[in-house]
Amino acid sequence: MSSDRIVVSTRGLSKSYVIEHRPQDSTVAEALFRLLANPFRSSAKEEVWSLRDVSLDIREGQIVGVVGRNGAGKSTLLKLLSRITEPTRGEARIAGRVGSLIEVGTGFQPELTGRENIFLNGTILGMRRSEIARRFDQIVDFSGIEKYLDTPVKRYSSGMYVRLAFAVAAHLDTDILFVDEVLSVGDAEFQKKCLGRLSDVAEEGRTVMFVGHNMATLESLCTHGILLDKGRLLHAGTLKETVAEYQQMIRPEHISQETVVARRVDYGSRYEHVRSADLVDESGNSTRCVTVGEKLAIRVALEMPLPLEGAVFVAWIDSSFGNCVLTLKTPRTGGPMERLHGKCEVTCVVDSIPLMPGEYVLNFGLWKGAGYIDLVDGNITFIVQNGDTFGDGWGAHATGVCVAPSRWRIERTVVREAAIAPT
Amino acid sequence: MTFASDAPSIEGPDVVIIRPRHGWLALEVGVLWKFRDLLMAFGWRDVRLRYRQTFLGVSWVILQPLLGAAIFAIVFGRIARMPSQGIPYFIIAYSGLLGWTLFSTALTRASICLVASAELIRKVYFPRLLLPLGVVPCVLLDFAVAGVLMIGFMIYYRIVPGWGLVLFPITTVILLCMAMGFGIIAASLAVRYRDIQYIVPLFIQLMMYASPVGYSASAVPAAIRPYYDLNPLVAPIEIMRWSLLGVGQVDVGQLFYSIAVSIVALLIGLIVFRFTERRFADVI
């Protein structure tokens, strides 16, 4: 539902904090004492930029996920746009009514009743009193606490408290909504309800900017994304692109190049046959990054002190959310694993990796008879990066987890009247 | 969404522009008006919290000045034997406390309003000036409750106020403005300097004895009167008592001095507030 109308626009938006290299005077007494003791000394100061030269345009109806590491400036951006703090340089322009949810339940007063807090909190969030009155029944209904409406909220369980708080926030009826991590509260069922509510908001054509760490939430909600790092805007585009970009970025730090394996004894792993494992590129060098539709090679060093017969080598790949998306296996009989003894190296090559860009985890094990005799789980994390999958320079941008090589054929068909006439 | 080019973005009458603010004169009265519902919500919240338990809440509001007046009546009336011009000393003290309590509660509550709402300041946008302003409704309600009691006493003791009663609302406004002025200054400083919240009560305690609260200003020795009169609280408290009881005298020059101080205090308060406001969310 996004239109061409720009509703949020920033130009060179920057925010810096000044850090003094001595403890700040936190009392008048200290400040006076210091002034008397040393009137002319000025302390060394350092300016730290938590947001730097961010220029972007957000159009009406876009649901924008803000992605980045901790301390990348995501919350600062949100706080600047919601006017909680002032920029140091640059400017932002916003067209339309803004609501911002940095936290749910801000300003809740424990002594006041649920009913009173709905009005208080709603007003604090920027709703008019009349608006709250109009939506009061909806809010109560959503929270599911109508029985305790006239009980002071200090007697609420933390779950009820969050429900009520979110219910108020969810009915914030503004054109533009800035949301920061508020979904990380409440039980799973309620979270689902909140997500549903947010998608409704999105479908109503309102503009939302959402800071989140849970990629699954971001992917299910957002259409667009921006990537921040060290206060700078690195990428702005569709959410898919942005997440892929983010996963690229975090690779060197986050993904270890470890090849020595740790095993899962709890799943019945009894033998230490697998000595090391690695992902390698075409020339045999270790890598943790492969491209959609290109070659993926897994190299595993095995050591069998005794001959092993009839084993099956299984490898499977989990998405970063933990669901298995791909399985690779040697045949039960007649394969290269028929009889193993001593030191050997197994290489498994997938000619065209059918995975969408993202972060994945490689797991594998040796299976014999009715169970794993050696199971290695979660040691190797790797990135699938976007490539020119379809040969058109666009890469894989569709939704889903897989992409398959496909052949297309178009035949001219003669459409006969009879074929489409209702019988 | 895109990386933006440097061309100016959106224009229009309802476009909010967020940029570093310089200058401290713009008070954004329009914005305050937009947020009037929130101002009422803050005021109403305090009132609800104070008068929640109807019995305890209201009786506390009544007991405070009553006990204060009783103590003053004993200390100044009985022990020190200060003059009372034929009116029960308790009433002299109570009428002084009426104005004083208005000033001191407004000042105390305004001075802590920012620190007490640190969470809100960090998480939500609204004109920060609403916080000190939101103190006013509750303070005025307390004042009204104490005032009703005063009317009761006046009826009981058959005291009829004269035309001087017209000065009563003027002194009320002066005291409130002065309290808000000092309160806003203290609140702004308290964001950075946490010992302000200990300094303010001390200041209030000292000022109470330096003001004609428990005694009439006419009891102050003439030799120190010029210094005593420097205290801008002297005129409004003394005149408030005079307007009700006819005790003491009205010094017009003193009254204008107090009006001037209250206006200056309020202006300085707003300027200090304006100047420090932009950093509240960062340092609080």
Side-chain angles (χ1 to χ4, degrees):
Chain A
M1 283 246 310
S2 83
S3 74
D4 270 350
R5 204 167 80 92
I6 296 170
V7 287
V8 177
S9 171
T10 72
R11 290 292 177 275
L13 197 65
S14 309
K15 172 78 182 173
S16 75
Y17 292 90
V18 173
I19 293 180
E20 290 182 47
H21 286 289
R22 62 167 167 82
Q24 286 230 327
D25 304 318
S26 63
T27 65
V28 175
E30 267 174 41
L32 279 179
F33 182 76
R34 197 180 296 276
L35 193 69
L36 291 176
N38 214 339
F40 300 110
R41 215 196 86 200
S42 67
S43 73
K45 287 178 183 172
E46 195 190 347
E47 209 172 21
V48 175
W49 293 88
S50 57
L51 206 67
R52 198 144 202 188
D53 286 333
V54 170
S55 300
L56 55 88
D57 287 332
I58 294 173
R59 280 160 220 282
E60 194 173 20
Q62 291 183 334
I63 313 296
V64 181
V66 186
V67 185
R69 276 184 280 230
N70 282 335
K74 295 173 296 195
S75 295
T76 307
L77 177 62
L78 228 58
K79 280 189 174 181
L80 286 176
L81 290 178
S82 33
R83 305 176 70 187
I84 292 164
T85 182
E86 244 179 44
T88 314
R89 282 211 310 252
E91 66 164 42
R93 288 170 185 240
I94 297 174
R97 252 187 91 203
V98 173
S100 93
L101 300 174
I102 304 290
E103 187 185 70
V104 291
T106 317
F108 258 48
Q109 201 69 48
E111 298 287 335
L112 298 183
T113 65
R115 184 190 303 275
E116 289 165 335
N117 268 305
I118 289 177
F119 279 98
L120 179 61
N121 189 240
T123 324
I124 286 173
L125 291 176
M127 284 189 247
R128 300 298 313 274
R129 215 186 139 75
S130 52
E131 261 177 86
I132 305 169
R134 208 170 51 239
R135 313 202 69 172
F136 188 81
D137 291 340
Q138 277 169 277
I139 294 173
V140 173
D141 206 39
F142 188 91
S143 69
I145 56 126
E146 50 273 62
K147 263 200 255 169
Y148 307 97
L149 216 46
D150 293 307
T151 309
V153 298
K154 65 178 173 188
R155 301 202 209 292
Y156 282 22
S157 71
S158 58
M160 287 160 66
Y161 189 92
V162 165
R163 270 156 199 276
L164 184 63
F166 192 87
V168 181
H171 291 81
L172 189 55
D173 208 355
T174 55
D175 312 321
I176 302 163
L177 198 58
F178 298 122
V179 186
D180 191 352
E181 285 289 342
V182 283
L183 291 171
S184 53
V185 290
D187 52 65
E189 194 196 335
F190 190 68
Q191 274 190 26
K192 229 164 111 187
K193 203 169 164 185
C194 299
L195 269 176
R197 174 67 202 161
L198 267 183
S199 337
D200 289 351
V201 167
E203 271 161 32
E204 284 162 23
R206 291 194 260 158
T207 313
V208 182
M209 195 172 195
F210 184 75
V211 168
H213 291 300
N214 187 340
M215 290 294 156
T217 309
L218 282 172
E219 287 189 334
S220 64
L221 274 183
C222 303
T223 54
H224 292 73
I226 57 174
L227 173 61
L228 291 173
D229 191 42
K230 297 182 184 114
R232 290 181 188 274
L233 181 66
L234 289 193
H235 183 86
T238 65
L239 186 83
K240 279 256 161 200
E241 278 166 32
T242 311
V243 168
E245 201 76 24
Y246 172 60
Q247 285 173 336
Q248 285 266 28
M249 187 186 83
I250 59 175
R251 178 167 40 108
E253 271 182 27
H254 173 175
I255 295 168
S256 88
Q257 302 286 327
E258 199 70 42
T259 55
V260 179
V261 297
R263 39 188 48 79
R264 294 287 295 268
V265 184
D266 49 338
Y267 279 95
S269 185
R270 283 161 291 146
Y271 300 92
E272 300 197 354
H273 292 322
V274 179
R275 308 307 300 179
S276 74
D278 209 354
L279 277 184
V280 292
D281 62 14
E282 308 259 353
S283 40
N285 298 320
S286 176
T287 181
R288 290 292 178 272
C289 184
V290 292
T291 305
V292 179
E294 291 185 4
K295 195 178 273 185
L296 168 80
I298 305 164
R299 193 168 62 195
V300 180
L302 299 175
E303 199 176 317
M304 260 72 48
L306 297 167
L308 177 69
E309 283 182 18
V312 176
F313 189 85
V314 187
W316 68 98
I317 292 170
D318 289 347
S319 75
S320 52
F321 316 125
N323 25 337
C324 177
V325 292
L326 186 69
T327 307
L328 306 163
K329 234 168 133 177
T330 54
R332 272 176 194 249
T333 51
M337 308 287 282
E338 195 118 82
R339 188 173 193 280
L340 296 165
H341 188 208
K343 286 188 183 181
C344 54
E345 202 173 77
V346 178
T347 305
C348 165
V349 177
V350 181
D351 285 324
S352 166
I353 180 87
L355 297 174
M356 286 302 232
E359 190 179 312
Y360 295 91
V361 180
L362 173 69
N363 314 287
F364 49 84
L366 277 173
W367 173 281
K368 194 187 169 196
Y372 284 104
I373 54 172
D374 194 4
L375 177 70
V376 177
D377 187 0
N379 281 114
I380 296 180
T381 304
F382 66 98
I383 300 288
V384 175
Q385 65 178 9
N386 216 339
D388 191 9
T389 320
F390 303 106
D392 58 359
W394 284 86
H397 284 298
T399 48
V401 287
C402 290
V403 52
S406 45
R407 279 176 288 116
W408 298 75
R409 190 176 62 211
I410 295 174
E411 280 169 15
R412 237 173 238 284
T413 48
V414 179
V415 182
R416 275 174 300 181
E417 296 282 316
I420 48 170
T423 47
Chain B
M1 184 197 30
T2 40
F3 269 112
S5 59
D6 41 34
S9 44
I10 346 171
E11 300 288 347
D14 59 339
V15 170
V16 175
I17 301 178
I18 302 166
R19 57 159 72 114
R21 279 180 298 184
H22 304 291
W24 35 262
L25 282 176
L27 260 175
E28 295 179 327
V29 179
V31 179
L32 286 180
W33 175 248
K34 257 192 193 163
F35 279 83
R36 62 192 180 277
D37 278 10
L38 184 56
L39 178 63
M40 292 322 293
F42 281 147
W44 184 83
R45 173 192 65 182
D46 288 356
V47 169
R48 280 316 277 257
L49 287 176
R50 193 149 169 90
Y51 293 84
R52 165 103 298 178
Q53 285 121 339
T54 325
F55 178 68
L56 270 182
V58 177
S59 58
W60 180 243
V61 174
I62 295 171
L63 269 179
Q64 222 176 342
L66 278 185
L67 283 176
I71 290 167
F72 280 140
I74 294 166
V75 174
F76 290 115
R78 287 289 162 93
I79 301 173
R81 299 210 170 273
M82 295 258 203
S84 73
Q85 301 180 11
I87 289 171
Y89 204 91
F90 177 82
I91 299 299
I92 300 276
Y94 187 84
S95 59
L97 272 168
L98 202 60
W100 170 256
T101 312
L102 172 70
F103 173 80
S104 67
T105 46
L107 173 53
T108 309
R109 304 190 77 157
S111 71
I112 57 167
C113 70
L114 294 179
V115 175
S117 300
E119 200 56 19
L120 274 187
I121 290 175
R122 258 181 309 208
K123 302 281 163 66
V124 190
Y125 164 75
F126 55 88
R128 307 308 188 199
L129 202 55
L130 290 185
L131 287 171
L133 287 181
V135 163
V136 175
C138 189
V139 169
L140 281 181
L141 186 64
D142 284 4
F143 182 66
V145 170
V148 168
L149 207 62
M150 181 74 204
I151 295 173
F153 286 132
M154 286 168 71
I155 292 171
Y156 182 81
Y157 288 107
R158 294 172 200 285
I159 300 166
V160 183
W163 65 270
L165 201 59
V166 294
L167 285 181
F168 183 85
I170 297 177
T171 53
T172 306
V173 172
I174 295 173
L175 287 170
L176 199 58
C177 286
M178 225 184 283
M180 292 314 287
F182 291 132
I184 290 171
I185 296 172
S188 314
L189 294 177
V191 169
R192 169 91 187 255
Y193 301 112
R194 289 303 152 95
D195 58 347
I196 290 287
Q197 44 190 313
Y198 307 114
I199 296 173
V200 169
L202 185 69
F203 170 78
I204 288 177
Q205 206 173 11
L206 293 177
M207 288 306 281
M208 185 171 80
Y209 291 104
S211 309
V213 179
Y215 54 89
S216 170
S218 54
V220 175
I224 60 163
R225 193 63 203 261
Y227 307 104
Y228 183 81
D229 283 347
L230 284 178
N231 175 2
L233 285 168
V234 170
I237 291 177
E238 184 73 4
I239 293 171
M240 186 179 274
R241 176 186 290 130
W242 174 84
S243 73
L244 293 169
L245 308 177
V247 174
Q249 70 243 54
V250 177
D251 182 332
V252 179
Q254 270 265 288
L255 183 62
F256 280 107
Y257 166 67
S258 295
I259 291 175
V261 170
S262 65
I263 291 171
V264 170
L266 202 54
L267 279 180
I268 293 180
L270 291 176
I271 291 169
V272 170
F273 193 86
R274 226 18 227 168
F275 195 69
T276 47
E277 184 184 20
R278 65 192 68 160
R279 294 200 189 279
F280 285 167
D282 302 340
V283 296
I284 205 161

